Amino acid sequence: MAALPPNPVPLAYQGGTPAVPVWLNKGDNAWQMISSPSLGLQSVPGLVILYGSVVKKKWAVNSAFMALYAFATVVICWVIWAYKMSFGHKLLPFWGKAGPALGQKFLVNQALLPETTQFHHDGTLETAMVTPFYPMASMVWFQCVFAAITVIILAGSVLGRINIKAWMAFVPLWLTFCYTVGAFSLWGGGFLFHWGVIDYSGGYVIHLSSGIAGFTAAFWVGPRSKKDRERFPPNNVLLMLAGAGLLWMGWAGFNGGDPYAANVDSSMAVLNTNICAATSLLIWTWLDVIFFKKPSVIGAVQGMITGLVCITPGAGLVQGWAAIVMGILSGSVPWFTLMIVHKRWTLLQQIDDTLGVFHTHAVAGLLGGVLTGLFAEPQLCAMFLPVANSRGGVYGGSGGMQILKQLAGGAFIIGWNLVLTSIICVAINLVIPLRMSEEQLSIGDDAVHGEEAYALWGDGEKYDSTKHGMYSDDTLHNKASTGATQVV
């Protein structure tokens, strides 16, 4: 009996076909498509859960919804106009030309960042254009979830009082006029990219910008109610830890996906991310114990976040020992600014940054950018950066200049976000009040959304301490902690 011919490989899996073009690297594409949802899970449900849990019970629904709404809004704005403003053709040295990223012919072709070609001063080619070996659709989605988490981080500064309708207007405006500028300038081929400012995965584009913008927005919106500022306990610490865990584990996609390939550099980035985060968490916790005699769970989360933020601008560019040093500093410097400087500086006291985003993201992001300028290792830099012979200060040569570049890049991001965020807030306030009404501030979720997070007592039943045997979050039953880290 004659042997049956082997089954042919389906066209969808054959190389050189429309579904598998010759330029496609399936491993790189798979890694990028894994990194994107890993990063997306940091926002939905990661920060949705964290925000909904770390705030006072009456703001749980509002805080979680602000994150969810921002994510959905960014997705639509990103594909209609904002992606090309960040990674398309140059309009200005710091901005790309707006345009849709929706057409089949655009999305199925090989990904490329057209303004990333680097030239020597004499006009000869130094580094070719960034052209990852996967389709543009993978690139658009990966960068989209970066943009989304940036706006959601910013939201942490204004929880508990921003008018939800003003927030709905703020998200697309800030994405358009602030985020895209940082993304193009540092990643998409703008002037900071070509000058050689290093931001491996968003220490400046994401964390410094969101920290400064959040602090600025908090100024214009104004503080929470006096009652909320005096007492703002988390409504569910265990659920907050679940959100924090999604944030930490999702950072593998956050930093590991930024080389645009499944390569040696991405492996270094993932390992360094976890080394720095763990070190920072431990340092923050030890400082709480040493100075305030008790380890704070919220403090541990804050330390974890500052470690993740600090390593981000140099994740794939520093050695493991440098990641530990960065973790020590990210666990101590933001702790000092939050726990000591914040309580003594009148300006910081007056501006109500609900979750301390200024300290955990702006301070930690700028710190990480400067430390990257100090510790960036030459061989690792050569794997990733467009400017040849880039190196950190400890490696001599042009390393000293790198630190100055990092400071200048940080100054640009700070200045732009201070000014443009202020303009956006003032413009919105002319049409929609930035701040909730006094009635909404007093009642919370039920007044703003007609919904509450928990049905702790009977339908329509008011709290009665003699009957229910539990405390409402507005009942002062213990002296508020004055030591270890608490929500600001």
Side-chain angles (χ1 to χ4, degrees):
M1 183 176 180
L4 294 173
N7 291 326
V9 177
L11 286 175
Y13 300 96
Q14 291 180 21
T17 62
V20 190
V22 293
W23 47 260
L24 179 70
N25 183 302
K26 292 184 179 180
D28 287 350
N29 195 34
W31 174 238
Q32 209 67 24
M33 294 178 72
I34 291 170
S35 295
S36 299
S38 296
L39 172 52
L41 285 169
Q42 293 181 289
S43 297
V44 182
L47 286 175
V48 170
I49 292 173
L50 193 151
Y51 283 4
S53 306
V54 77
V55 297
K56 200 173 190 175
K57 179 173 71 68
K58 73 175 186 179
W59 295 118
V61 172
N62 181 255
S63 301
F65 179 71
M66 282 176 62
L68 182 65
Y69 178 86
F71 190 89
T73 302
V74 169
V75 171
I76 299 305
C77 296
W78 192 250
V79 297
I80 294 176
W81 71 80
Y83 172 78
K84 289 189 176 179
M85 294 179 74
S86 304
F87 296 95
H89 293 284
K90 183 171 72 173
L91 175 65
L92 297 169
F94 52 85
W95 227 354
K97 296 178 182 178
L102 290 167
Q104 171 188 335
K105 291 182 179 179
F106 177 77
L107 294 174
V108 301
N109 288 326
Q110 184 175 1
L112 53 84
L113 307 183
E115 299 301 326
T116 56
T117 309
Q118 177 76 9
F119 297 97
H120 292 289
H121 292 298
D122 62 4
T124 58
L125 181 67
E126 181 175 359
T127 306
M129 183 194 306
V130 174
T131 54
F133 297 110
Y134 46 74
M136 191 66 82
S138 296
M139 175 65 78
V140 171
W141 178 235
F142 178 68
Q143 296 297 348
C144 178
V145 284
F146 266 125
I149 198 172
T150 308
V151 185
I152 294 171
I153 290 169
L154 186 163
S157 293
V158 291
L159 297 178
R161 81 276 199 184
I162 191 171
N163 182 346
I164 188 63
K165 294 177 182 177
W167 176 246
M168 293 166 74
F170 180 90
V171 171
L173 289 173
W174 191 85
L175 173 73
T176 302
F177 293 104
C178 289
Y179 181 81
T180 58
V181 169
F184 186 81
S185 298
L186 282 156
W187 288 347
F191 75 109
L192 295 177
F193 176 93
H194 289 296
W195 189 38
V197 177
I198 301 173
D199 188 7
Y200 185 88
S201 195
Y204 287 175
V205 175
I206 294 171
H207 301 294
L208 182 58
S209 67
S210 61
I212 294 299
F215 191 71
T216 304
F219 168 79
W220 290 106
V221 176
R224 288 165 288 172
S225 66
K226 185 174 183 292
K227 190 175 181 180
D228 280 356
R229 289 201 77 180
E230 290 175 348
R231 179 166 171 75
F232 205 73
N235 67 83
N236 194 323
V237 173
L238 296 181
L239 201 57
M240 176 197 72
L241 288 174
L246 285 167
L247 201 64
W248 187 347
M249 292 300 101
W251 226 281
F254 196 115
N255 287 346
D258 250 316
Y260 303 139
N263 59 17
V264 171
D265 206 30
S266 62
S267 297
M268 285 293 296
V270 172
L271 179 59
N272 283 335
T273 296
N274 288 282
I275 291 172
C276 188
T279 304
S280 184
L281 185 154
L282 296 176
I283 294 294
W284 193 297
T285 302
W286 293 340
L287 287 171
D288 273 348
V289 171
I290 291 168
F291 287 93
F292 303 119
K293 312 306 178 188
K294 60 180 71 171
S296 164
V297 177
I298 293 176
V301 172
Q302 299 277 56
M304 175 203 83
I305 291 172
T306 55
L308 293 167
V309 170
C310 185
I311 194 62
T312 290
L317 306 176
V318 302
Q319 298 188 63
W321 61 265
I324 291 177
V325 174
M326 292 173 77
I328 292 171
L329 292 172
S330 66
S332 54
V333 173
W335 180 93
F336 179 77
T337 65
L338 176 63
M339 303 303 295
I340 308 299
V341 176
H342 186 98
K343 295 177 180 179
R344 298 182 181 180
W345 191 357
T346 304
L347 174 64
L348 293 177
Q349 284 287 304
Q350 290 176 343
I351 299 176
D352 182 18
D353 179 1
T354 308
L355 300 185
V357 174
F358 174 79
H359 303 280
T360 56
H361 293 272
V363 173
L366 182 60
L367 175 67
V370 175
L371 292 175
T372 297
L374 185 64
F375 294 129
E377 200 278 329
Q379 292 185 5
L380 295 174
C381 288
M383 295 180 184
F384 179 76
L385 299 176
V387 179
N389 301 316
S390 295
R391 64 188 60 233
V394 299
Y395 296 98
S398 59
M401 183 62 184
Q402 189 62 55
I403 297 174
L404 295 177
K405 289 181 179 181
Q406 298 302 107
L407 290 168
F412 172 77
I413 294 296
I414 291 170
W416 186 272
N417 281 279
L418 274 171
V419 174
L420 268 293
T421 303
S422 294
I423 293 172
I424 291 168
C425 288
V426 171
I428 291 174
N429 200 42
L430 294 174
V431 182
I432 306 169
L434 280 175
R435 189 175 172 80
M436 293 180 186
S437 67
E438 291 303 316
E439 180 184 16
Q440 289 174 322
L441 289 173
S442 176
I443 297 172
D445 288 337
D446 194 29
V448 178
H449 300 281
E451 299 162 320
E452 295 186 54
Y454 307 109
L456 295 179
W457 310 305
D459 184 24
E461 193 174 1
K462 291 187 176 181
Y463 171 76
D464 181 347
S465 60
T466 63
K467 180 178 178 182
H468 296 115
M470 63 177 69
Y471 297 105
S472 85
D473 74 349
D474 284 322
T475 303
L476 289 173
H477 53 89
N478 275 325
K479 184 178 179 182
S481 172
T482 57
T485 309
Q486 297 294 312
V487 176
V488 177

